[in-house]
Amino acid sequence: MGVVTVISGVTAIGTGLFAGYVVDRADRRRLMVGCDLVRGVLLVAVPFVWQAGPRMWLLYVLTALVTALKTVFDVAYVSAVPQLVRSEDLTAANGRLMSTFAFGTLLGPVAAGFLTTGVGADWALAVDGATFLVSAASLRWVDFTRHAAERVKPAPGTPAEAAPAGAARRPAVAGRLREMFVVGFRFLWSHPVLRPLTVLLTLLTFVTMGATDLLIFRVQNDLDRDAATLGYVIAVSGLGAVVAAFAAGPLRRTFGFGACWLGSVAMIGVAVAGTGVSRSVPVIAVLAAVFMFGMTLGGVCSMTLRQEVTPEPLLGRVTSAFWTVHNASGPAGAAVLTVLAARYGVPAASLAGGALCLLIAIAGLLTPLRRAGAGAGGGAGPVRETVAGSPVSGPRRRLRPGGRRRAGSEPVCDRGAVGEYTEEP
């Protein structure tokens, strides 16, 4: 299992480097359907190939292929959400997506256990593959153009690297490589809110990736509880994710992005620290729910922010770059927490992780994140980010390349990424 985990993590990071480029250049519905169909065929074929005898190398190859397809699909669906709902409904839509993911996280392992026990692991994978085929069929009835007109579209003369799918001009090889690996990262770094968000979330992922391992070790080893008790704790934690998914929209409308995201980081820190010092299983279960509430609330808010402030032609690459950057720190953080827990105990490792989370929240107060979404309406609507010296609120305006910036306006994209953009009514 360790090798499978490593292959999955490395493949996700590697695919993330070019997944956004593919998403921005392809029809997103067809791309998602294709990813589902290929995953479905690969997994359905497992029991038939396995009849010739188990082959571990085949499992490793399957893991890499399915993970790569999953990464592309995930970037595509996040980039497609703004085409499906009105801008003011983005937070609620992302919350619903998170709630379905939370339900899947709760019910998936249970269903997998029953299937594996009943028909074997190979046929359980085949059943999993069948669900991807159902997903591919259902996507044919989704209208991806319903709200596409609300999104930012490039005007004539937009540089090739910012052009949407189907652009006629094919850039040189060096230009394509820059489009794949650089454009999304440069946009993140040029944006006054996304830059600190990316840095702080990378540090946060360093802690949270290993938090589940600390929870498991605490319940089963330190407190000497059985697997059933651990299952109850994890089930309660899932309820926190479900509640946060439905509460994210109202909370962001009321308090704005900055307060919600920084508050979620503080909640995560308290939960991580408390899990390591408490000896009460019910208390640990509640803290696990608080942890998942914070993780889900922060995830919904950061996802919505990227969708709001990123021009349509760049959304896939920015999403892919964002995930690649902050997810890369997770495995290293999990390894560090594991070493700390083995050497100094879970309480010490949990307190250290919780303290780091609280320091991240405090650091966020010193960045534009503190004021993001603090304007009228508390962050409701398409884009209501209030950055020091640069209030940006209300519906996003159309961008045109190559012109001069009006006095008092802020460029949405940096020049090196997609040309010099200015705001025009």
Side-chain angles (χ1 to χ4, degrees), residues 113-151:
F114 280 117
L115 285 172
T116 302
T117 302
V119 298
D122 52 348
W123 283 102
L125 288 174
V127 173
D128 186 27
T131 65
F132 287 113
L133 300 179
V134 173
S135 173
S138 67
L139 283 169
R140 297 186 60 83
W141 284 276
V142 179
D143 183 4
F144 277 68
T145 61
R146 185 176 181 182
H147 295 281
E150 298 180 10
R151 295 291 296 161

Side-chain angles (χ1 to χ4, degrees), residues 36-331:
D36 274 343
L37 287 175
V38 176
R39 282 187 289 181
V41 171
L42 287 173
L43 292 171
V44 168
V46 168
F48 303 100
V49 176
W50 221 247
Q51 289 180 355
R55 297 177 178 85
M56 289 305 300
W57 66 267
L58 186 61
L59 182 61
Y60 299 151
V61 172
L62 180 67
T63 298
L65 293 174
V66 171
T67 301
L69 292 166
K70 176 186 182 300
T71 302
V72 174
F73 182 95
D74 289 349
V75 173
Y77 95 74
V78 170
S79 303
V81 172
Q83 298 175 301
L84 302 177
V85 299
R86 296 176 301 175
S87 298
E88 57 267 30
D89 294 330
L90 273 176
T91 305
N94 288 324
R96 291 175 183 174
L97 286 173
M98 284 285 192
S99 67
T100 58
F101 178 79
F103 278 119
T105 302
L106 286 173
L107 302 178
V110 177
F114 280 117
L115 285 172
T116 302
T117 302
V119 298
D122 52 348
W123 283 102
L125 288 174
V127 173
D128 186 27
T131 65
F132 287 113
L133 300 179
V134 173
S135 173
S138 67
L139 283 169
R140 297 186 60 83
W141 284 276
V142 179
D143 183 4
F144 277 68
T145 61
R146 185 176 181 182
H147 295 281
E150 298 180 10
R151 295 291 296 161
V152 178
K153 290 182 172 58
T158 300
E161 61 181 281
R169 187 156 66 100
R170 180 180 295 274
V173 174
R176 288 201 298 272
L177 291 175
R178 187 163 68 92
E179 288 182 71
M180 291 183 189
F181 303 122
V182 178
V183 172
F185 294 100
R186 294 182 69 173
F187 181 85
L188 288 175
W189 193 252
S190 70
H191 194 279
V193 176
L194 291 182
R195 178 172 60 249
L197 177 64
T198 303
V199 173
L200 295 179
L201 189 53
T202 300
L203 295 174
L204 183 65
T205 306
F206 184 87
V207 177
T208 56
M209 185 73 76
T212 302
D213 294 332
L214 293 181
L215 171 67
I216 294 172
F217 197 88
R218 181 65 173 167
V219 172
Q220 290 194 308
N221 293 77
D222 290 0
L223 303 183
D224 196 25
R225 301 305 176 95
D226 57 17
T229 302
L230 177 63
Y232 295 139
V233 171
I234 293 177
V236 173
S237 74
L239 295 178
V242 173
V243 172
F246 287 104
L251 286 174
R252 192 183 179 207
R253 284 194 298 271
T254 303
F255 300 106
F257 169 81
C260 285
W261 194 83
L262 294 173
S264 70
V265 175
M267 294 172 64
I268 292 169
V270 171
V272 170
T275 299
V277 298
S278 176
R279 301 194 63 83
S280 169
V281 172
V283 171
I284 290 176
V286 171
L287 289 171
V290 171
F291 175 85
M292 290 304 300
F293 184 96
M295 289 286 291
T296 304
L297 175 62
V300 170
C301 289
S302 65
M303 183 189 304
T304 304
L305 176 67
R306 291 196 313 276
Q307 293 165 338
E308 289 174 341
V309 303
T310 305
E312 170 70 17
L314 289 178
L315 189 52
R317 280 167 285 179
V318 171
T319 298
S320 184
F322 187 84
W323 284 354
T324 301
V325 169
H326 77 75
N327 283 336
S329 68

